[in-house]
Amino acid sequence: MEHNDQMQPNQPINAAPAKTAQTKSETWEWIKALVIAGVLVIIIRWFLFSPFIVDGDSMHPNFFTGERLIVNKIVYDIRDPKRGEVIVFHAPEGKDYIKRVIALPGETVKVTGDKVYINGEELAQPYIQEAIDQAVKEGHPYNTLLDFPETKVPEGEIFAIGDNRPNSKDSRTKSVGFVPYNKIVGRAEVIFWPVKKISFIHF
């Protein structure tokens, strides 16, 4: 009987070495991708954006305890704060507060009851107008806590108060006062928790 010891043309060749090299290459690519992703997370977390958890009632009726926000940490490296923006800043007592920018450097600000005056002109406050209207229907002012005498905002600082005027420790109080630019963490951009309240804060 004749034996055929020659390799057939379609006989498979052992490809193990090639597969091993390919596996090592893919593993290395995954490692690089994970390292890059980790670096990006660190950059985004510490330099660009930061999460913030609302703690307290000072921004009712627009923000509530337990809500989680994304704070833009670089916007004020590009430009100055604007009136009406919601900011997070380092308060003197070692906590981070969330308040709304009301008056800017060089402006005069005065708070009398529910009315706020900037350079002698009354400020429109659409973010709390419904709360003010409800208080009027009930026969009392919304702001039952503090007024603020007409004062000029120092350069490089802002005047910020909470939307919950009857329950907010803010620039009206001596313990907080005007907020220096270098104490501002950033601008609140997005509510991302709870899911039903996901929304942009500024448009």
Side-chain angles (χ1 to χ4, degrees), residues 167-182:
N167 185 22
S168 175
K169 185 185 293 185
D170 48 44
S171 289
R172 295 173 296 172
T173 65
K174 291 182 179 180
S175 61
V176 177
F178 296 111
V179 180
Y181 279 2
N182 62 8

Side-chain angles (χ1 to χ4, degrees), residues 99-126:
K99 308 293 178 184
R100 192 178 299 273
V101 178
I102 298 297
L104 305 173
E107 296 180 333
T108 61
V109 57
K110 178 182 178 181
V111 180
T112 303
D114 294 333
K115 297 184 183 297
V116 175
Y117 297 91
I118 305 296
N119 295 333
E121 295 186 5
E122 185 177 349
L123 175 69
Q125 304 176 86

Side-chain angles (χ1 to χ4, degrees), residues 185-196:
V185 176
R187 185 178 81 160
E189 295 284 0
V190 177
I191 299 174
F192 72 90
W193 186 266
V195 174
K196 65 181 180 180

Side-chain angles (χ1 to χ4, degrees), residues 19-178:
K19 286 184 178 180
T20 301
Q22 182 180 359
T23 301
K24 289 182 177 179
S25 177
E26 290 177 354
T27 301
W28 175 239
E29 290 299 319
W30 271 107
I31 292 173
K32 288 194 294 184
L34 290 173
V35 169
I36 292 172
V39 171
L40 288 175
V41 167
I42 292 172
I43 292 174
I44 291 172
R45 170 64 178 84
W46 294 106
F47 298 101
L48 302 181
F49 299 94
S50 178
F52 177 81
I53 302 176
V54 178
D55 181 18
D57 301 334
S58 73
M59 286 299 284
H60 284 187
N62 296 304
F63 302 89
F64 296 85
T65 295
E67 290 181 348
R68 287 163 168 75
L69 317 177
I70 294 295
V71 176
N72 184 332
K73 299 172 69 174
I74 63 168
V75 62
Y76 297 137
D77 291 331
I78 300 170
R79 63 164 177 81
D80 293 338
K82 294 181 180 179
R83 190 182 347 275
E85 293 182 331
V86 176
I87 64 168
V88 172
F89 63 91
H90 299 310
E93 60 184 40
K95 295 182 178 180
D96 286 350
Y97 282 2
I98 177 172
K99 308 293 178 184
R100 192 178 299 273
V101 178
I102 298 297
L104 305 173
E107 296 180 333
T108 61
V109 57
K110 178 182 178 181
V111 180
T112 303
D114 294 333
K115 297 184 183 297
V116 175
Y117 297 91
I118 305 296
N119 295 333
E121 295 186 5
E122 185 177 349
L123 175 69
Q125 304 176 86
Y127 33 83
I128 59 168
Q129 191 58 54
E130 186 175 342
I132 292 174
D133 293 343
Q134 181 60 38
V136 170
K137 288 181 180 179
E138 296 171 0
H140 61 83
Y142 180 53
N143 175 23
T144 57
L145 180 64
L146 287 172
D147 288 343
F148 188 79
E150 186 171 59
T151 307
K152 186 175 182 178
V153 182
E155 290 300 323
E157 301 182 7
I158 55 98
F159 180 86
I161 54 181
D163 290 349
N164 190 355
R165 299 296 163 77
N167 185 22
S168 175
K169 185 185 293 185
D170 48 44
S171 289
R172 295 173 296 172
T173 65
K174 291 182 179 180
S175 61
V176 177
F178 296 111

